[in-house]
Structure formats: C-alpha cells, structure tokens
Amino acid sequence: MFASPIARLVQQLGKLPGIGEKTAARLAFHILRASPEDAAALAEAIRDVKEKITLCEVCFNLAEGPRCTVCLDERREADVICVVEEPGDVIPIERTHEYRGRYHVLGGALSPIDGVEPEDLKLAQLYDRVTNGVREVILATNPTTTGEATALHVAAALHQRAPDVAVTRLASGLPVGGDLEYADEVTLGRAFTGRRAV
Ligand SMILES: [Zn+2]
C-alpha cells in the first residue's frame, strides 16, 4: 500500500502503546511533511534516550550519568525514601510538589503468577539504604493487587530489619486498580499528606 520506507515508519509507530494502524499512518504522513530539521530532531531524540539514559546507581530512577537529579539535589531530604514501582511513577509524585525526600524504584511489583519474586526487584538495595539514618519509608506502590502485595512484603521486611524506621503507605482515595501514573496531582498530593503507618 505504501512505499517501503513509509510502510516501515507506519509499522514502527504502530508498535507504540495506544497507536492503532490509522493513527500510525497519520503520524507517518505528518513526519513526511515535517521539515528535515524537525524529522531529524525526532530521530535524534529517540536515539539519545536509548544511548544516554541509564538507571541511577542509588535509587534506580532514570538518570543521565551515574546519579539521578533527585539524588544529586542536596536540598532533598535524605532521611525519607519514597518507594515506587517504575521510574514513570516518580513524575506524577514530583508534580504534586508535596514530596521533598528521595526515591527508590523497585523495577516492578511482586507477582508470583508472572514469576516476579522478591529477588527480581531492587529490594536488597532498599534494605541497605534504610540502615543509613533513614527516618521514614513511604510505600507508594500502585493501588493494585500486586502493588498492595508488594507494599505488605516490604513493610514486613522493613519492620524486621529496621524497627526504628517509620513505614507509611499513601492514604486511600487513589483510584483502586489504577496506576500512580494516571492519578491527578490533587488526589496524589492528598494521598501523600494523609499517609498512614503500616
Ligand atoms: Zn537517584
């Protein structure tokens, strides 16, 4: 139907989440009409994220270099750690402006059915971090079955390993079964201020 370079672009764009065949074709024609500079900038931006973005050596958030911007920021409280599932969960929390501590990105949630066991997540690294003067760990895993199971598992492990550290969970009110990514700032901000001990 299309000349092969266009067909290839349509096919690649169609692999993106939420992009059907029609939208992929529309985007491909948009890129085709764009200036050479804009099209090159898009291609370069895609190449750059794959080449330059790594995981922070401390918290496993996305980073350009060994440490992420949160870990490099001296003004962020070092004694509060917010535990999230994925790097994408940091963005909505940052947008609330309610949180001034650090993060720890687990890299997923416990799900024995899918074969995700504790050793598949960055849990050992979290337990190492809490021994260094941490006062509170906020469990901000998603309000889903796997997110709740992960929060329970981590809370129990922290109580055992670091009994002096307060462990809290975001207040309810977040859409159940949803991801933090889709929570609005006001709701998420309220969930932060209303967090409770677990
Ligand atoms: Zn970091």
Side-chain angles (χ1 to χ4, degrees):
M1 192 159 68
F2 299 129
S4 68
I6 302 174
R8 252 175 63 213
L9 183 56
V10 171
Q11 196 196 359
Q12 292 307 317
L13 291 168
K15 289 181 185 173
L16 297 172
I19 306 291
E21 211 176 307
K22 270 189 187 169
T23 309
R26 199 180 321 133
L27 290 172
F29 281 104
H30 177 84
I31 293 166
L32 197 60
R33 278 194 309 268
S35 68
E37 295 76 25
D38 280 352
L42 175 63
E44 219 170 286
I46 292 171
R47 199 178 316 117
D48 267 12
V49 288
K50 295 308 289 179
E51 277 172 12
K52 294 184 183 161
I53 301 298
T54 54
L55 296 183
C56 172
E57 62 184 12
V58 177
C59 74
F60 306 98
N61 185 15
L62 299 178
E64 191 178 348
R67 295 208 177 180
C68 74
T69 52
V70 176
C71 286
L72 286 171
D73 186 348
E74 292 292 326
R75 291 163 304 175
R76 304 285 302 225
E77 299 165 31
D79 56 353
V80 186
I81 296 177
C82 177
V83 176
V84 295
E85 293 180 23
E86 301 290 348
D89 298 330
V90 170
I91 300 155
I93 295 173
E94 286 297 286
R95 256 192 240 127
T96 67
H97 301 292
E98 289 284 344
Y99 184 61
R100 297 297 305 154
R102 311 282 173 111
Y103 290 95
H104 192 86
V105 182
L106 294 176
L110 291 176
S111 179
I113 294 173
D114 304 311
V116 184
E117 304 286 345
E119 55 274 19
D120 298 317
L121 305 177
K122 306 289 187 199
L123 288 173
Q125 293 87 339
L126 173 67
Y127 304 149
D128 279 348
R129 284 181 75 190
V130 296
T131 55
N132 288 327
V134 169
R135 138 178 95 78
E136 181 182 358
V137 174
I138 304 167
L139 301 172
T141 49
N142 290 328
T144 55
T145 318
T146 54
E148 294 294 350
T150 307
L152 286 175
H153 176 94
V154 176
L158 287 172
H159 288 318
Q160 201 183 24
R161 284 156 209 258
D164 298 336
V165 175
V167 183
T168 57
R169 178 88 174 113
L170 294 192
S172 48
L174 293 171
V176 174
D179 284 357
L180 286 195
E181 265 185 277
Y182 304 118
D184 67 274
E185 285 136 61
V186 177
T187 311
L188 193 52
R190 245 184 245 143
F192 252 92
T193 37
R195 63 188 187 265
R196 54 188 162 67
V198 286

